[in-house]
Amino acid sequence: MANEGADERPEADGKESDRNRSGTGRALLLTAASVVLPGIAHLRSGRRAAGITILSLYALLIAGAVAAAFVLAGNIARGARMAVQSEWLLTAGAAAFVLAVLWMTVVVHSWVITRPRPAGAGARIGGAALVLLLCLCIAAPAGAVMHTSYTAYDTLSSVFGDDDLDGKPHDDADPWNGRDRIEVLLIGGDSGSNRYGMRTDSTMLASIDVHDGDTVLISLPRNLEDVQFPEDSKMAEAYPPPYGFDDIFNEIYQTVAEDPERLAENPQATDPAADTLKGVVGHITGLEPEYYALVDMKGFEAVIDAIGGIDVHIDQPIPYGQEGAVLEAGDQHLDGNQALWYGRSRVNSDDYTRMGRQGCLVKYVVEQADPATVLTSFQDLAGATKKTLRTDIPQAKLPAFIELAETVAEDGGMKALQLSPPQVNPAYPDWKEIRGLVADAVSAQQDDGGEGDQAGEPEPSASAPSPSPSEEGAGEGGGEGDSTEWQDYTGLPEPSPTTPGRQVGDDATSLDAICP
């Protein structure tokens, strides 16, 4: 009898071991399946109420995600507007955390209710390893969402202000407070480790129609002299008329930055020098910039790289850098460093040619910044923006600015007015004439809806053909009425500039005409 029992026990143990091995495989399979189809393990284990509830919630989640993707797929700008609102960013991060915790809880519980009992050491170790791996698969994307949300939130909080400057509460229905146009001062700061302070070598005032996106880019040369300041301002007191500022225009920012308590209109501003420059440019042009955006050129290339670079057409080679590099003529795709030099190089050219290319650069970025590329490179773009951009645009206005930028890119006409020779003499500027040029440019765009150039004016071409012998004769020896303003100014035979972006004449010119 004893021997009989001894003979039967191993056979019983073997059957139980087989059942455990079979149960372990089934448990592992159901646990893994619960990642893709949460609740399936509960249903297969006889917990119908829990399984149906989990699957129903999962189905609702999938349906909501599909609906959101469908809505946003046809309007990426809507998603972008949501992505610049702190409450949406915080909600997205919190939702990702809660969802990940609940999902991992379902996975862990799926193993708990399906694992064989008793289980051997191998089953326990294998099950724990699988559950850990599955939880990591869930936590990784959730962590990416939380990190991206926080990065965006931190960038917005660091770069953009909390309150509107005019003290009025933001109204989503009327974000521009009843204005038909807004003006934003665009400042390119040129700082570096090999120089002291920052020079604003690129200064443009964008006057934008908030209804149709028509924009006039008013470029101010870096070498404007005898700059006058608003009456009763601190700068006017320090540099009174008739001579005004005793240095050129691009030194104003650094001068104020060195002594903000004495020279800045608002020493408590985030950037007192940029805030003061906004008022100076408003006084020069006769417009009223509401906001400024300052981009430090040393970080500009990172921004261009983050949006995937830009396509440009170059008519003549542009030398740049200290290593003898050249941007070759033709259609080129520029990375950040090349785009930076496209906008700043003065080799074999001058300040005014560079001003023209900077205007073209704005046009190219507006037209080519692909939202999909921006989203896929968001971390790089956010980092570059945080290091590079300073602005007084409040966070509450960002959705309205994104919508306006979309209108500018898709429907608006962009014109350039360069306050440079031959229309303006930087050494002896006529301030009244400058304000008249600006007023006429804005008024003309409002009258013609931003389309085309003024009738009767020669349209400069960035790729003007070589002049015929008769044209050369007219430029060299013809009567005054036979020559163009460009020929009168330069003495050259070409009837118009051959460099991209160069505007001639008192009327603003379409950037489509002067930027190839």
Side-chain angles (χ1 to χ4, degrees), residues 28 37 72 75 85 176-177 246 337 436 487:
L28 292 175
L37 201 61
L72 296 178
N75 189 348
Q85 298 180 64
W176 313 119
N177 300 322
D246 57 2
N337 182 259
Q487 290 170 326

Side-chain angles (χ1 to χ4, degrees), residues 434-445:
I434 286 174
R435 294 186 189 98
L437 291 174
V438 172
D440 289 344
V442 173
S443 177
Q445 190 184 58

Side-chain angles (χ1 to χ4, degrees), residues 421-423 457-458 471-497 502 504-505:
Q423 47 270 11
E457 291 292 335
E471 288 174 328
E472 291 191 19
E476 293 174 357
E480 183 177 349
D482 297 327
S483 61
T484 67
E485 188 171 1
W486 180 250
Q487 290 170 326
D488 292 338
Y489 168 65
T490 63
L492 297 174
E494 291 84 359
S496 63
R502 193 71 164 88
V504 177

Side-chain angles (χ1 to χ4, degrees), residues 13 57-58 156-157 189 221 262 268 271 289 305 349 369 434 474 482 495:
D13 290 343
L57 292 175
Y58 180 66
L156 292 175
S157 301
R262 183 174 70 93
Q268 282 70 49
D271 188 337
D305 284 334
S349 60
I434 286 174
D482 297 327

Side-chain angles (χ1 to χ4, degrees), residues 26-39:
R26 177 177 178 274
L28 292 175
L29 182 61
L30 288 174
T31 302
S34 67
V35 174
V36 181
L37 201 61

Side-chain angles (χ1 to χ4, degrees), residues 229 232-239 252-280:
F229 301 105
D232 298 329
S233 67
K234 293 181 180 180
M235 288 294 287
E237 182 179 350
Y239 302 97
I252 294 176
Y253 179 93
Q254 185 59 32
T255 299
V256 177
E258 291 174 359
D259 194 359
E261 291 297 330
R262 183 174 70 93
L263 299 176
E265 288 305 298
N266 181 12
Q268 282 70 49
T270 304
D271 188 337
D275 180 72
T276 299
L277 188 62
K278 188 171 62 175
V280 173

